[in-house]
Amino acid sequence: MRWEVHGEQQLYGNEWLRLCQLDVEQPDGRRVDYYAVRLRNLAVAAVLNDRREVLMMWRHRFVTDSWAWELPMGLVEDGESPAEAAAREVLEETGWRPGPVRPLIYAEPAAGITDTQHHVFRADGATRVGPPAEQNESDRVAWIPLGEVRGMIDRREIVSSGTLVGLLYLLMAEGAAGPAGSAGTQGAEAVR
């Protein structure tokens, strides 16, 4: 069932993405034009404090015109490791310097149309350095109790795939997922 690529042509590109047309042979022998979006890799950080709270940002995503809580995240820059990018993004977006970051989970969110890799890291503890350097990233930064995350997901207060992958894995690792709907309502009140 292997699909074979016979050629690739870039149709559009900039510093963020490349749109490519691929000459693909499907397993049944048919050759088709296929389109792929080549994206830079993403680093995501789940920072936990000793009170079992996770550092998150309340932000607006204009493409979908939606508001939701997200983990700090950003593109991996040239010459930077994903772990370095995760730590940098936490500091820039939140004003908190994370403790040492370690891999939490790896994901490819849309492997059928894009080659982006999402590297999700965990950091235990952070030190407040000052206000966020990135003034356009979020409306507010908060430490959210891990026990409230499940309810926030159920209420669609958390929708970003990078954030969801990291938080769901963290909940599994921490044993905090609990039954559906068991999380408190404090997260919803904080949003209003």
Side-chain angles (χ1 to χ4, degrees), residues 87-130:
R88 175 183 52 75
E89 290 292 340
V90 172
L91 181 58
E92 289 176 359
E93 294 181 346
T94 70
W96 289 82
R97 177 175 282 113
V101 297
R102 63 183 193 275
L104 181 64
I105 189 169
Y106 168 85
E108 295 176 2
I113 59 168
T114 182
D115 62 352
T116 187
Q117 300 173 6
H118 289 192
H119 301 270
V120 185
F121 294 87
R122 175 181 177 154
D124 291 304
T127 304
R128 178 81 171 141
V129 175

mmCIF file of all heavy atoms in Angstrom, residues 87-130:
data_model
loop_
_atom_site.group_PDB
_atom_site.id
_atom_site.type_symbol
_atom_site.label_atom_id
_atom_site.label_comp_id
_atom_site.label_asym_id
_atom_site.label_seq_id
_atom_site.Cartn_x
_atom_site.Cartn_y
_atom_site.Cartn_z
ATOM 1 N N ALA A 87 11.388 26.238 24.872
ATOM 2 C CA ALA A 87 11.772 27.089 26.002
ATOM 3 C C ALA A 87 11.714 28.569 25.611
ATOM 4 O O ALA A 87 11.232 29.405 26.390
ATOM 5 C CB ALA A 87 13.169 26.712 26.488
ATOM 6 N N ARG A 88 12.171 28.890 24.413
ATOM 7 C CA ARG A 88 12.135 30.281 23.939
ATOM 8 C C ARG A 88 10.703 30.792 23.846
ATOM 9 O O ARG A 88 10.388 31.904 24.267
ATOM 10 C CB ARG A 88 12.829 30.385 22.573
ATOM 11 C CG ARG A 88 12.727 31.776 21.939
ATOM 12 C CD ARG A 88 13.361 31.824 20.558
ATOM 13 N NE ARG A 88 12.919 30.811 19.639
ATOM 14 C CZ ARG A 88 11.738 30.803 19.002
ATOM 15 N NH1 ARG A 88 10.847 31.775 19.217
ATOM 16 N NH2 ARG A 88 11.432 29.837 18.158
ATOM 17 N N GLU A 89 9.813 29.973 23.287
ATOM 18 C CA GLU A 89 8.421 30.385 23.125
ATOM 19 C C GLU A 89 7.739 30.626 24.476
ATOM 20 O O GLU A 89 6.967 31.566 24.622
ATOM 21 C CB GLU A 89 7.646 29.360 22.302
ATOM 22 C CG GLU A 89 8.037 29.323 20.841
ATOM 23 C CD GLU A 89 7.648 30.572 20.059
ATOM 24 O OE1 GLU A 89 6.760 31.331 20.499
ATOM 25 O OE2 GLU A 89 8.246 30.788 18.989
ATOM 26 N N VAL A 90 8.002 29.772 25.456
ATOM 27 C CA VAL A 90 7.416 29.983 26.777
ATOM 28 C C VAL A 90 7.832 31.347 27.314
ATOM 29 O O VAL A 90 6.989 32.137 27.758
ATOM 30 C CB VAL A 90 7.832 28.868 27.772
ATOM 31 C CG1 VAL A 90 7.367 29.214 29.188
ATOM 32 C CG2 VAL A 90 7.273 27.525 27.349
ATOM 33 N N LEU A 91 9.116 31.646 27.256
ATOM 34 C CA LEU A 91 9.610 32.919 27.786
ATOM 35 C C LEU A 91 9.037 34.106 27.010
ATOM 36 O O LEU A 91 8.537 35.063 27.608
ATOM 37 C CB LEU A 91 11.139 32.939 27.745
ATOM 38 C CG LEU A 91 11.801 34.201 28.281
ATOM 39 C CD1 LEU A 91 11.401 34.473 29.725
ATOM 40 C CD2 LEU A 91 13.313 34.088 28.140
ATOM 41 N N GLU A 92 9.082 34.041 25.673
ATOM 42 C CA GLU A 92 8.590 35.155 24.859
ATOM 43 C C GLU A 92 7.097 35.396 25.027
ATOM 44 O O GLU A 92 6.653 36.536 25.104
ATOM 45 C CB GLU A 92 8.883 34.901 23.374
ATOM 46 C CG GLU A 92 10.334 35.001 22.990
ATOM 47 C CD GLU A 92 10.584 34.646 21.531
ATOM 48 O OE1 GLU A 92 9.628 34.293 20.796
ATOM 49 O OE2 GLU A 92 11.748 34.707 21.118
ATOM 50 N N GLU A 93 6.315 34.317 25.072
ATOM 51 C CA GLU A 93 4.859 34.452 25.064
ATOM 52 C C GLU A 93 4.240 34.641 26.440
ATOM 53 O O GLU A 93 3.122 35.152 26.542
ATOM 54 C CB GLU A 93 4.225 33.234 24.384
ATOM 55 C CG GLU A 93 4.563 33.143 22.905
ATOM 56 C CD GLU A 93 3.933 31.954 22.204
ATOM 57 O OE1 GLU A 93 3.431 31.026 22.894
ATOM 58 O OE2 GLU A 93 3.938 31.942 20.968
ATOM 59 N N THR A 94 4.944 34.212 27.497
ATOM 60 C CA THR A 94 4.339 34.266 28.825
ATOM 61 C C THR A 94 5.110 35.112 29.834
ATOM 62 O O THR A 94 4.547 35.512 30.843
ATOM 63 C CB THR A 94 4.190 32.852 29.429
ATOM 64 O OG1 THR A 94 5.492 32.343 29.759
ATOM 65 C CG2 THR A 94 3.459 31.927 28.478
ATOM 66 N N GLY A 95 6.393 35.322 29.604
ATOM 67 C CA GLY A 95 7.222 36.007 30.589
ATOM 68 C C GLY A 95 7.741 35.091 31.684
ATOM 69 O O GLY A 95 8.372 35.536 32.634
ATOM 70 N N TRP A 96 7.499 33.792 31.560
ATOM 71 C CA TRP A 96 7.997 32.791 32.506
ATOM 72 C C TRP A 96 9.127 32.006 31.842
ATOM 73 O O TRP A 96 8.993 31.582 30.690
ATOM 74 C CB TRP A 96 6.888 31.822 32.916
ATOM 75 C CG TRP A 96 5.846 32.427 33.803
ATOM 76 C CD1 TRP A 96 4.768 33.176 33.427
ATOM 77 C CD2 TRP A 96 5.783 32.330 35.217
ATOM 78 N NE1 TRP A 96 4.035 33.552 34.510
ATOM 79 C CE2 TRP A 96 4.639 33.046 35.638
ATOM 80 C CE3 TRP A 96 6.581 31.714 36.178
ATOM 81 C CZ2 TRP A 96 4.264 33.142 36.979
ATOM 82 C CZ3 TRP A 96 6.208 31.821 37.510
ATOM 83 C CH2 TRP A 96 5.070 32.523 37.901
ATOM 84 N N ARG A 97 10.242 31.798 32.557
ATOM 85 C CA ARG A 97 11.339 30.959 32.056
ATOM 86 C C ARG A 97 11.104 29.545 32.585
ATOM 87 O O ARG A 97 11.086 29.327 33.802
ATOM 88 C CB ARG A 97 12.702 31.472 32.529
ATOM 89 C CG ARG A 97 13.853 30.552 32.073
ATOM 90 C CD ARG A 97 15.232 31.090 32.421
ATOM 91 N NE ARG A 97 15.555 32.138 31.454
ATOM 92 C CZ ARG A 97 15.684 33.432 31.743
ATOM 93 N NH1 ARG A 97 15.514 33.861 32.976
ATOM 94 N NH2 ARG A 97 15.999 34.303 30.814
ATOM 95 N N PRO A 98 10.895 28.589 31.689
ATOM 96 C CA PRO A 98 10.584 27.228 32.148
ATOM 97 C C PRO A 98 11.806 26.534 32.728
ATOM 98 O O PRO A 98 12.944 26.862 32.388
ATOM 99 C CB PRO A 98 10.119 26.529 30.869
ATOM 100 C CG PRO A 98 10.875 27.227 29.786
ATOM 101 C CD PRO A 98 10.960 28.671 30.227
ATOM 102 N N GLY A 99 11.524 25.566 33.613
ATOM 103 C CA GLY A 99 12.587 24.675 34.060
ATOM 104 C C GLY A 99 13.049 23.847 32.871
ATOM 105 O O GLY A 99 12.567 24.035 31.744
ATOM 106 N N PRO A 100 13.957 22.925 33.074
ATOM 107 C CA PRO A 100 14.436 22.107 31.948
ATOM 108 C C PRO A 100 13.272 21.439 31.212
ATOM 109 O O PRO A 100 12.357 20.907 31.844
ATOM 110 C CB PRO A 100 15.335 21.061 32.614
ATOM 111 C CG PRO A 100 15.738 21.687 33.912
ATOM 112 C CD PRO A 100 14.584 22.552 34.340
ATOM 113 N N VAL A 101 13.309 21.512 29.881
ATOM 114 C CA VAL A 101 12.254 20.885 29.080
ATOM 115 C C VAL A 101 12.709 19.487 28.681
ATOM 116 O O VAL A 101 13.884 19.258 28.407
ATOM 117 C CB VAL A 101 11.885 21.731 27.832
ATOM 118 C CG1 VAL A 101 11.322 23.077 28.235
ATOM 119 C CG2 VAL A 101 13.054 21.900 26.903
ATOM 120 N N ARG A 102 11.740 18.579 28.671
ATOM 121 C CA ARG A 102 12.027 17.211 28.225
ATOM 122 C C ARG A 102 10.891 16.758 27.331
ATOM 123 O O ARG A 102 9.747 17.207 27.493
ATOM 124 C CB ARG A 102 12.249 16.283 29.403
ATOM 125 C CG ARG A 102 11.089 16.104 30.319
ATOM 126 C CD ARG A 102 11.477 15.205 31.515
ATOM 127 N NE ARG A 102 10.336 14.757 32.246
ATOM 128 C CZ ARG A 102 9.740 15.448 33.204
ATOM 129 N NH1 ARG A 102 10.177 16.634 33.543
ATOM 130 N NH2 ARG A 102 8.695 14.939 33.831
ATOM 131 N N PRO A 103 11.177 15.884 26.375
ATOM 132 C CA PRO A 103 10.137 15.455 25.440
ATOM 133 C C PRO A 103 8.944 14.833 26.166
ATOM 134 O O PRO A 103 9.098 14.052 27.097
ATOM 135 C CB PRO A 103 10.842 14.414 24.572
ATOM 136 C CG PRO A 103 12.293 14.745 24.692
ATOM 137 C CD PRO A 103 12.476 15.276 26.085
ATOM 138 N N LEU A 104 7.753 15.223 25.723
ATOM 139 C CA LEU A 104 6.516 14.662 26.262
ATOM 140 C C LEU A 104 5.872 13.748 25.226
ATOM 141 O O LEU A 104 5.574 12.592 25.506
ATOM 142 C CB LEU A 104 5.553 15.783 26.664
ATOM 143 C CG LEU A 104 4.221 15.368 27.270
ATOM 144 C CD1 LEU A 104 4.437 14.645 28.596
ATOM 145 C CD2 LEU A 104 3.316 16.580 27.474
ATOM 146 N N ILE A 105 5.667 14.282 23.994
ATOM 147 C CA ILE A 105 5.045 13.489 22.930
ATOM 148 C C ILE A 105 5.364 14.138 21.586
ATOM 149 O O ILE A 105 5.627 15.336 21.506
ATOM 150 C CB ILE A 105 3.517 13.346 23.139
ATOM 151 C CG1 ILE A 105 2.908 12.339 22.162
ATOM 152 C CG2 ILE A 105 2.836 14.690 23.082
ATOM 153 C CD1 ILE A 105 1.465 11.960 22.479
ATOM 154 N N TYR A 106 5.344 13.331 20.546
ATOM 155 C CA TYR A 106 5.586 13.781 19.177
ATOM 156 C C TYR A 106 4.335 13.485 18.362
ATOM 157 O O TYR A 106 3.704 12.447 18.546
ATOM 158 C CB TYR A 106 6.783 13.016 18.592
ATOM 159 C CG TYR A 106 6.945 13.176 17.107
ATOM 160 C CD1 TYR A 106 7.624 14.268 16.583
ATOM 161 C CD2 TYR A 106 6.417 12.237 16.226
ATOM 162 C CE1 TYR A 106 7.778 14.420 15.216
ATOM 163 C CE2 TYR A 106 6.561 12.384 14.861
ATOM 164 C CZ TYR A 106 7.244 13.474 14.364
ATOM 165 O OH TYR A 106 7.390 13.631 13.010
ATOM 166 N N ALA A 107 3.967 14.407 17.458
ATOM 167 C CA ALA A 107 2.766 14.198 16.643
ATOM 168 C C ALA A 107 2.956 14.781 15.251
ATOM 169 O O ALA A 107 3.707 15.740 15.062
ATOM 170 C CB ALA A 107 1.556 14.843 17.304
ATOM 171 N N GLU A 108 2.261 14.203 14.289
ATOM 172 C CA GLU A 108 2.151 14.728 12.927
ATOM 173 C C GLU A 108 0.654 14.969 12.699
ATOM 174 O O GLU A 108 -0.075 14.041 12.372
ATOM 175 C CB GLU A 108 2.727 13.738 11.923
ATOM 176 C CG GLU A 108 4.216 13.527 12.100
ATOM 177 C CD GLU A 108 4.801 12.464 11.179
ATOM 178 O OE1 GLU A 108 4.057 11.882 10.352
ATOM 179 O OE2 GLU A 108 6.006 12.194 11.306
ATOM 180 N N PRO A 109 0.185 16.202 12.884
ATOM 181 C CA PRO A 109 -1.249 16.459 12.976
ATOM 182 C C PRO A 109 -2.064 16.261 11.710
ATOM 183 O O PRO A 109 -3.260 16.018 11.794
ATOM 184 C CB PRO A 109 -1.320 17.917 13.432
ATOM 185 C CG PRO A 109 -0.042 18.505 12.980
ATOM 186 C CD PRO A 109 0.972 17.406 13.065
ATOM 187 N N ALA A 110 -1.468 16.355 10.549
ATOM 188 C CA ALA A 110 -2.239 16.184 9.312
ATOM 189 C C ALA A 110 -1.325 15.574 8.246
ATOM 190 O O ALA A 110 -1.093 16.164 7.196
ATOM 191 C CB ALA A 110 -2.817 17.516 8.843
ATOM 192 N N ALA A 111 -0.826 14.374 8.517
ATOM 193 C CA ALA A 111 0.190 13.752 7.672
ATOM 194 C C ALA A 111 -0.283 13.475 6.244
ATOM 195 O O ALA A 111 0.535 13.235 5.364
ATOM 196 C CB ALA A 111 0.687 12.454 8.315
ATOM 197 N N GLY A 112 -1.570 13.542 5.989
ATOM 198 C CA GLY A 112 -2.073 13.325 4.636
ATOM 199 C C GLY A 112 -1.909 14.526 3.724
ATOM 200 O O GLY A 112 -1.951 14.391 2.505
ATOM 201 N N ILE A 113 -1.695 15.717 4.321
ATOM 202 C CA ILE A 113 -1.567 16.916 3.491
ATOM 203 C C ILE A 113 -0.392 17.807 3.869
ATOM 204 O O ILE A 113 -0.058 18.734 3.141
ATOM 205 C CB ILE A 113 -2.851 17.771 3.522
ATOM 206 C CG1 ILE A 113 -3.178 18.218 4.945
ATOM 207 C CG2 ILE A 113 -4.015 17.036 2.878
ATOM 208 C CD1 ILE A 113 -4.243 19.285 5.031
ATOM 209 N N THR A 114 0.237 17.548 5.012
ATOM 210 C CA THR A 114 1.360 18.381 5.424
ATOM 211 C C THR A 114 2.430 17.533 6.106
ATOM 212 O O THR A 114 2.132 16.462 6.636
ATOM 213 C CB THR A 114 0.903 19.520 6.363
ATOM 214 O OG1 THR A 114 2.035 20.328 6.694
ATOM 215 C CG2 THR A 114 0.270 18.997 7.622
ATOM 216 N N ASP A 115 3.651 18.039 6.091
ATOM 217 C CA ASP A 115 4.754 17.306 6.692
ATOM 218 C C ASP A 115 5.206 17.898 8.026
ATOM 219 O O ASP A 115 6.233 17.521 8.563
ATOM 220 C CB ASP A 115 5.943 17.247 5.734
ATOM 221 C CG ASP A 115 6.501 18.620 5.387
ATOM 222 O OD1 ASP A 115 5.888 19.644 5.750
ATOM 223 O OD2 ASP A 115 7.559 18.666 4.725
ATOM 224 N N THR A 116 4.432 18.805 8.602
ATOM 225 C CA THR A 116 4.842 19.436 9.848
ATOM 226 C C THR A 116 4.936 18.425 10.988
ATOM 227 O O THR A 116 4.142 17.488 11.074
ATOM 228 C CB THR A 116 3.892 20.592 10.239
ATOM 229 O OG1 THR A 116 4.437 21.282 11.366
ATOM 230 C CG2 THR A 116 2.506 20.103 10.572
ATOM 231 N N GLN A 117 5.932 18.634 11.816
ATOM 232 C CA GLN A 117 6.142 17.812 13.002
ATOM 233 C C GLN A 117 5.873 18.674 14.227
ATOM 234 O O GLN A 117 6.354 19.800 14.312
ATOM 235 C CB GLN A 117 7.582 17.296 13.046
ATOM 236 C CG GLN A 117 7.968 16.461 11.870
ATOM 237 C CD GLN A 117 9.446 16.111 11.881
ATOM 238 O OE1 GLN A 117 10.167 16.398 12.836
ATOM 239 N NE2 GLN A 117 9.904 15.479 10.821
ATOM 240 N N HIS A 118 5.108 18.139 15.160
ATOM 241 C CA HIS A 118 4.832 18.845 16.410
ATOM 242 C C HIS A 118 5.591 18.148 17.534
ATOM 243 O O HIS A 118 5.336 16.988 17.837
ATOM 244 C CB HIS A 118 3.340 18.866 16.721
ATOM 245 C CG HIS A 118 2.575 19.768 15.815
ATOM 246 N ND1 HIS A 118 1.275 20.117 16.058
ATOM 247 C CD2 HIS A 118 2.911 20.410 14.668
ATOM 248 C CE1 HIS A 118 0.846 20.943 15.110
ATOM 249 N NE2 HIS A 118 1.829 21.118 14.250
ATOM 250 N N HIS A 119 6.523 18.874 18.116
ATOM 251 C CA HIS A 119 7.329 18.378 19.229
ATOM 252 C C HIS A 119 6.780 19.014 20.500
ATOM 253 O O HIS A 119 6.864 20.228 20.678
ATOM 254 C CB HIS A 119 8.795 18.765 19.040
ATOM 255 C CG HIS A 119 9.391 18.237 17.779
ATOM 256 N ND1 HIS A 119 10.016 17.015 17.711
ATOM 257 C CD2 HIS A 119 9.437 18.759 16.523
ATOM 258 C CE1 HIS A 119 10.433 16.808 16.480
ATOM 259 N NE2 HIS A 119 10.099 17.841 15.734
ATOM 260 N N VAL A 120 6.206 18.188 21.378
ATOM 261 C CA VAL A 120 5.603 18.697 22.602
ATOM 262 C C VAL A 120 6.517 18.326 23.770
ATOM 263 O O VAL A 120 6.914 17.164 23.915
ATOM 264 C CB VAL A 120 4.185 18.125 22.818
ATOM 265 C CG1 VAL A 120 3.529 18.773 24.037
ATOM 266 C CG2 VAL A 120 3.326 18.335 21.574
ATOM 267 N N PHE A 121 6.821 19.329 24.588
ATOM 268 C CA PHE A 121 7.727 19.154 25.708
ATOM 269 C C PHE A 121 7.015 19.430 27.019
ATOM 270 O O PHE A 121 5.994 20.112 27.063
ATOM 271 C CB PHE A 121 8.923 20.113 25.570
ATOM 272 C CG PHE A 121 9.779 19.794 24.391
ATOM 273 C CD1 PHE A 121 9.485 20.327 23.141
ATOM 274 C CD2 PHE A 121 10.867 18.946 24.517
ATOM 275 C CE1 PHE A 121 10.262 20.019 22.036
ATOM 276 C CE2 PHE A 121 11.651 18.626 23.417
ATOM 277 C CZ PHE A 121 11.350 19.172 22.183
ATOM 278 N N ARG A 122 7.607 18.915 28.083
ATOM 279 C CA ARG A 122 7.119 19.168 29.435
ATOM 280 C C ARG A 122 8.234 19.856 30.214
ATOM 281 O O ARG A 122 9.395 19.509 30.079
ATOM 282 C CB ARG A 122 6.754 17.859 30.124
ATOM 283 C CG ARG A 122 6.353 18.057 31.576
ATOM 284 C CD ARG A 122 6.025 16.759 32.260
ATOM 285 N NE ARG A 122 5.731 17.016 33.665
ATOM 286 C CZ ARG A 122 4.963 16.249 34.406
ATOM 287 N NH1 ARG A 122 4.403 15.171 33.892
ATOM 288 N NH2 ARG A 122 4.759 16.536 35.668
ATOM 289 N N ALA A 123 7.854 20.829 31.012
ATOM 290 C CA ALA A 123 8.787 21.460 31.938
ATOM 291 C C ALA A 123 8.116 21.510 33.300
ATOM 292 O O ALA A 123 6.931 21.844 33.406
ATOM 293 C CB ALA A 123 9.144 22.864 31.480
ATOM 294 N N ASP A 124 8.849 21.139 34.322
ATOM 295 C CA ASP A 124 8.331 21.217 35.683
ATOM 296 C C ASP A 124 8.915 22.466 36.329
ATOM 297 O O ASP A 124 10.128 22.561 36.520
ATOM 298 C CB ASP A 124 8.699 19.953 36.470
ATOM 299 C CG ASP A 124 7.936 18.749 35.954
ATOM 300 O OD1 ASP A 124 6.699 18.808 35.926
ATOM 301 O OD2 ASP A 124 8.582 17.758 35.556
ATOM 302 N N GLY A 125 8.037 23.417 36.594
ATOM 303 C CA GLY A 125 8.439 24.658 37.230
ATOM 304 C C GLY A 125 8.846 25.725 36.232
ATOM 305 O O GLY A 125 9.206 25.435 35.086
ATOM 306 N N ALA A 126 8.723 26.964 36.673
ATOM 307 C CA ALA A 126 9.097 28.120 35.862
ATOM 308 C C ALA A 126 9.349 29.291 36.793
ATOM 309 O O ALA A 126 8.817 29.347 37.899
ATOM 310 C CB ALA A 126 7.994 28.457 34.859
ATOM 311 N N THR A 127 10.162 30.216 36.326
ATOM 312 C CA THR A 127 10.485 31.420 37.079
ATOM 313 C C THR A 127 9.945 32.628 36.339
ATOM 314 O O THR A 127 10.223 32.790 35.146
ATOM 315 C CB THR A 127 12.013 31.556 37.234
ATOM 316 O OG1 THR A 127 12.525 30.377 37.855
ATOM 317 C CG2 THR A 127 12.372 32.776 38.069
ATOM 318 N N ARG A 128 9.214 33.469 37.041
ATOM 319 C CA ARG A 128 8.669 34.693 36.425
ATOM 320 C C ARG A 128 9.815 35.660 36.157
ATOM 321 O O ARG A 128 10.557 36.021 37.059
ATOM 322 C CB ARG A 128 7.636 35.316 37.369
ATOM 323 C CG ARG A 128 7.051 36.609 36.864
ATOM 324 C CD ARG A 128 5.953 36.342 35.869
ATOM 325 N NE ARG A 128 5.273 37.592 35.576
ATOM 326 C CZ ARG A 128 4.861 37.931 34.385
ATOM 327 N NH1 ARG A 128 5.027 37.106 33.374
ATOM 328 N NH2 ARG A 128 4.260 39.066 34.171
ATOM 329 N N VAL A 129 9.965 36.065 34.898
ATOM 330 C CA VAL A 129 11.028 36.972 34.485
ATOM 331 C C VAL A 129 10.489 38.385 34.298
ATOM 332 O O VAL A 129 11.148 39.360 34.612
ATOM 333 C CB VAL A 129 11.699 36.461 33.183
ATOM 334 C CG1 VAL A 129 12.714 37.449 32.671
ATOM 335 C CG2 VAL A 129 12.332 35.100 33.418
ATOM 336 N N GLY A 130 9.279 38.507 33.784
ATOM 337 C CA GLY A 130 8.674 39.809 33.536
ATOM 338 C C GLY A 130 7.490 39.637 32.607
ATOM 339 O O GLY A 130 7.012 38.527 32.392
#
